Amino acid sequence: MTTFDTAERRRTVEARPVIAELIDAATVQAIAEEAWISLVGEEEVLVPLPGELPADVLSSWVDVVGPWTGSVVLTTGRRTAEELTRALLRDSAPAELEEEDVADAFGEIANVVGGSVKAALPGQSALSLPSVGTGPDVRNAADVCRIDLLWRGEPVAISVQGALPALPAPRTTPVHPTYENEVPL
Amino acid sequence: MKILIADDSRVMRQIVIRTLRQAGYDGHDIVEAEDGRDAYDKVQSEQPDLVLSDWNMPNMTGIECLQALRSSGSTVPFGFVTSEGSEEMRGRAADAGALFLIAKPFNEETFTEALDGVIA
């Protein structure tokens, strides 16, 4: 019978894949293109070229929780997010868009892109409802798959980024737990 | 026919209505619901002939709504229009009694494939 070192076993359980092992930029781009054609319009093209995001940006994202845990984040200029909203609403777009309309439409694009990313990942995962605002920070630069695109000449970034920091290197000495909520005496 | 469209996104409800029209399903009464709980209530009050529902919604999800409807004895034809397109979700939807699952992103052809024979 083989006996397992418990620390080794724990590291195996804790070893989580980074996104580059699971999905590549070409797949994320294909997912984005399909979402754009369906939601924004059949003639709408995403050009795989980077552009400089303006100072006033808006992000929409969904979280994926499963064997890989992270967020699928779309970021673009606020005015581009408004243009996307008008494109989605077409004839039913009001003359004056409200913030709620932009959050709804831009969030729904993240929902559709995120759902397709989730479906492309191995194993079973859960998908959150979309959020809109200032996107989550990149936690681990090694766990990011980002594509930069142009839509109607305006930059749109899509980042599939891990929520967890890099796992620490295996330790050889026991580590004492930290008590973050303990009041020092 | 009366079709109930449940999605917490107003924009997506508009897109579903537009796609129904583009797929040739014109002239039906449309009722909208903004989450699963609202859909459940409107199935009782509006007696739709078909429910097209999102999966992930606040208050009550689409699958919870379907399960609650079946538990209450409702046999209303029910299909999902959702970004949850994995085989696991398709299996769960079918097990709960859904007729079909249209994955977002969709187009007119996807709608026709799923709805041909369901919408008169």
Side-chain angles (χ1 to χ4, degrees), chain B residues 97-117:
Chain B
L99 291 178
F100 54 84
L101 186 151
I102 296 172
K104 301 172 187 172
F106 48 71
N107 56 28
E108 299 100 276
E109 286 77 31
T110 329
F111 265 48
T112 309
E113 283 166 22
L115 294 170
D116 199 25

Side-chain angles (χ1 to χ4, degrees), chain A residues 1-177:
Chain A
M1 192 175 113
T2 309
T3 53
F4 291 97
D5 165 50
T6 52
E8 179 66 34
R9 190 164 51 191
R10 190 168 60 246
R11 284 196 295 274
T12 303
V13 170
E14 288 174 355
R16 298 176 68 91
V18 292
I19 196 65
E21 298 168 25
L22 307 173
I23 201 167
D24 58 14
T27 305
V28 177
Q29 174 150 348
I31 285 170
E33 285 170 351
E34 202 181 339
W36 244 253
I37 287 169
S38 169
L39 295 172
V40 186
E42 283 185 17
E43 310 296 321
E44 300 292 345
V45 178
L46 285 171
V47 181
L49 285 175
E52 193 174 335
L53 285 163
D56 189 14
V57 295
L58 191 66
S59 292
S60 64
W61 68 97
V62 289
D63 299 328
V64 177
V65 178
W68 178 84
T69 290
S71 305
V72 180
V73 188
L74 276 68
T75 302
T76 191
R78 192 173 294 270
R79 290 191 62 178
T80 309
E82 290 171 3
E83 283 308 301
L84 280 167
T85 303
R86 289 191 181 284
L88 262 65
L89 284 169
R90 297 189 200 172
D91 297 344
S92 51
E96 289 282 325
L97 282 176
E98 298 194 7
E99 239 176 79
E100 193 184 330
D101 297 320
V102 180
D104 184 0
F106 196 34
E108 196 55 32
I109 299 175
N111 181 39
V112 172
V113 173
S116 298
V117 168
K118 181 201 142 185
L121 296 176
Q124 297 181 1
S125 308
L127 193 68
S128 75
L129 292 170
S131 302
V132 177
T134 304
D137 291 334
V138 169
R139 300 283 300 277
N140 173 10
D143 193 10
V144 177
C145 176
R146 173 178 163 139
I147 58 171
D148 289 282
L149 308 160
L150 296 175
W151 174 66
R152 296 185 183 175
E154 297 297 327
V156 177
I158 300 178
S159 172
V160 184
Q161 58 190 58
L164 302 172
L167 290 169
R171 294 184 173 92
T172 52
T173 52
V175 177
H176 297 289

Side-chain angles (χ1 to χ4, degrees), chain B residues 1-5 13 16-17 20 25 27-32 46 52:
Chain B
M1 280 181 79
K2 186 185 278 191
I3 303 171
L4 173 63
I5 296 169
R13 294 199 299 271
V16 170
I17 293 166
L20 275 174
Y25 303 111
H28 297 287
D29 291 340
I30 302 292
V31 180
E32 296 183 43
E46 299 278 346
L52 297 179

Side-chain angles (χ1 to χ4, degrees), chain B residues 4 15 21 29 32 43-44 68 70 75 91 97 103-104 113 115 119:
Chain B
L4 173 63
I15 292 172
R21 201 170 53 234
D29 291 340
E32 296 183 43
V43 167
Q44 317 294 335
R70 294 295 182 257
T75 57
K104 301 172 187 172
E113 283 166 22
L115 294 170
I119 296 183

